Amino acid sequence: MSLAEHLTELRQRLLKCTLAVLLLGTVSLLFAKPIFGLLMRPVLDALPPEGRALIYTSGIEELNVLMKVGVYCGICLTTPVILWQIWGFVSPGLYPEERRFASPFVVLGSMAFFIGAMFCYFAVLPSMFKFLLNEEETAALESRLETGRLRTEDTLRFLRVGEVERAGQLAKSTSEALEASGEGQPGAPRPVPAESVELAGRLEGLGRLLDAAADGFGTQGRAVVGQAVEQRVAAVEAFGRRDFKAASESMDQAASLLAGGAPTRAEELAGLWRLQKELAAAQAEHAALKWTRPMLTMNEQLSLVLVLILAFGVIFELPLVMALLGVVGVVKSRWLFKYQRHAFVVCLIAAAIITPTGDVVNLSLMAGPMLLCYELGVLAVWLLERRRARAEAAASINPAP
């Protein structure tokens, strides 16, 4: 075939691939929204529960996102067709016995692409987005804070039913757990006023403590609880004037009055108030650390996810592509072995460029499969060369009549 005939055949095969992409992409548009939700699941799972949503910044962005989902799904589903057309284009230059590998090439190539996409979706994307959207220190503090908040509610329930001793024991253990939250990162920017947040948390905690005490003390302790409420009102007024010192003193006086209402349980009640203060301090520390929050757009996150999924799909195709190039004689195993160290460096650089995070885990998840696929490709080229050499040797010994 002449060059013009080769180009004509290439155009026809590209046209077939394009028609297949359009057809399967159109079918995928019918299920674009559920597919988009499935693709965004690793992103949403990495966000805090109260903020698991994506935004769009223009009226047509959601429509563009769904159209993009349909097109990329069409490309992924057309992988067997694309591989079949590639094989059909190069098969005239192969030996007759090598043309029998058409079906294995298409089947294994399609499987490799989808395995790479699934590896990216289930292994790479969850860890990557958790690294990007959650700081390790903040996540640990959030876990301790949520546990402390739930256990504090239980202490108040014990107090409400009159189990002051049990409430004090639970408050003591909860306080010890909250002390493990630490002081945060020294020198980190703190735009959120931690003092006002902490005092607001103390006021809320004192209110819950007074409500529980009003039920647990019964009618005899109502007068003491009323005096403590008056002190809390004074603390609220001082807080409104930004007189934080006076507000703190008024709250401590309210807690002292409450403890004086039950002298035999003063220590337990003091522990309950200390727990409320520690919980408020942990909330203030959390607000100081987490003063930014993600607002992710649909289009940007979809583009990132699709690029990574397609990249891993193509990476897992590397052994078959190298084997195909070895079959047609473009690459030799000797040449691949010679420049193996250079290939490793190129793979690491490519993984660092493709990976949007700078941590070692995600870089390894990208570079590891890439290096493994390269080694498998080198092995496949070497085996094909040995097989061809044995076939040529057999043909020279027993020439055809």
Side-chain angles (χ1 to χ4, degrees):
M1 296 176 64
S2 63
L3 177 61
E5 291 173 336
H6 277 296
L7 293 177
T8 301
E9 183 185 3
L10 179 61
R11 182 184 63 183
Q12 293 175 351
R13 295 190 180 279
L14 290 175
L15 181 60
K16 292 178 182 179
C17 294
T18 303
L19 292 176
V21 170
L22 291 177
L23 178 60
L24 294 177
T26 303
V27 175
S28 301
L29 283 175
L30 301 176
F31 310 96
K33 198 153 190 178
I35 295 173
F36 174 70
L38 183 65
L39 291 173
M40 293 296 102
R41 181 57 51 194
V43 183
L44 297 175
D45 289 343
L47 292 170
E50 67 277 4
R52 289 180 178 172
L54 301 176
I55 65 172
Y56 53 91
T57 57
S58 67
I60 62 172
E61 182 174 347
E62 186 173 8
L63 180 61
N64 290 337
V65 164
L66 297 180
M67 293 289 291
K68 185 184 292 187
V69 169
V71 172
Y72 276 84
C73 284
I75 294 174
C76 293
L77 296 175
T78 316
T79 301
V81 178
I82 296 174
L83 294 175
W84 184 263
Q85 295 302 319
I86 293 174
W87 185 268
F89 183 72
V90 302
S91 61
L94 303 178
Y95 291 106
E97 63 272 11
E98 293 172 341
R99 296 175 187 172
R100 296 177 300 174
F101 297 131
S103 297
F105 174 79
V106 175
V107 173
L108 294 177
S110 302
M111 291 177 58
F113 181 86
F114 289 114
I115 290 173
M118 293 175 63
F119 176 80
C120 176
Y121 182 82
F122 289 106
V124 178
L125 293 181
S127 63
M128 183 193 75
F129 282 109
K130 286 181 181 179
F131 176 83
L132 289 173
L133 301 177
N134 292 286
E135 295 183 1
E136 183 178 355
E137 181 182 2
T138 305
L141 178 58
E142 284 179 353
S143 177
R144 286 192 291 267
L145 183 59
E146 183 64 18
T147 303
R149 184 184 63 80
L150 294 174
R151 297 181 69 178
T152 301
E153 292 178 357
D154 290 334
T155 61
L156 297 180
R157 291 188 179 97
F158 279 122
L159 178 60
R160 190 172 287 112
V161 298
E163 295 287 341
V164 182
E165 183 178 0
R166 185 69 182 91
Q169 294 174 353
L170 184 59
K172 182 178 180 181
S173 62
T174 305
S175 297
E176 295 173 353
L178 284 176
E179 289 175 357
S181 61
E183 297 297 331
Q185 297 175 348
R190 305 292 176 88
V192 179
E195 186 178 7
S196 62
V197 174
E198 181 176 355
L199 287 176
R202 287 189 190 182
L203 284 171
E204 294 178 0
L206 180 60
R208 292 190 295 267
L209 182 60
L210 293 174
D211 292 340
D215 295 333
F217 283 5
T219 56
Q220 298 179 351
R222 294 292 176 87
V224 176
V225 175
Q227 295 175 4
V229 171
E230 291 178 359
Q231 289 295 327
R232 184 181 183 277
V233 171
V236 172
E237 293 177 353
F239 182 80
R241 299 193 306 268
R242 313 295 290 178
D243 189 353
F244 297 148
K245 182 178 180 181
S248 179
E249 293 175 353
S250 296
M251 286 188 285
D252 289 336
Q253 290 176 5
S256 298
L257 287 172
L258 195 63
T264 58
R265 299 300 183 190
E267 183 178 354
E268 287 82 356
L269 291 172
L272 291 174
W273 172 234
R274 184 168 58 253
L275 174 60
Q276 297 294 337
K277 293 168 67 174
E278 292 173 353
L279 182 63
Q283 291 173 342
E285 179 67 18
H286 178 262
L289 287 174
K290 202 171 182 65
W291 56 276
T292 60
R293 61 188 180 95
M295 295 184 66
L296 309 179
T297 61
M298 299 171 61
N299 187 40
E300 291 179 352
Q301 302 312 306
L302 177 65
S303 299
L304 178 59
V305 169
L306 290 177
V307 166
L308 289 174
I309 288 178
L310 288 178
F312 271 91
V314 173
I315 288 172
F316 276 64
E317 295 277 2
L318 186 59
L320 287 172
V321 173
M322 294 173 64
L324 180 61
L325 294 176
V327 167
V328 299
V330 176
V331 296
K332 301 292 183 180
S333 61
R334 183 176 56 185
W335 183 85
L336 294 173
F337 280 120
K338 179 180 179 181
Y339 293 99
Q340 191 173 35
R341 291 177 296 177
H342 302 79
F344 281 8
V345 175
V346 172
C347 288
L348 291 174
I349 294 174
I353 294 174
I354 297 174
T355 307
T357 62
D359 64 305
V360 178
V361 175
N362 287 299
L363 181 60
S364 301
L365 288 174
M366 173 67 76
M370 192 179 297
L371 296 173
L372 178 61
C373 289
Y374 176 81
E375 290 297 327
L376 291 176
V378 174
L379 180 61
V381 173
W382 180 73
L383 292 175
L384 287 171
E385 289 179 353
R386 287 194 61 185
R387 186 177 184 278
R388 176 176 290 183
R390 286 197 302 267
E392 292 177 350
S396 63
I397 296 173
N398 301 311

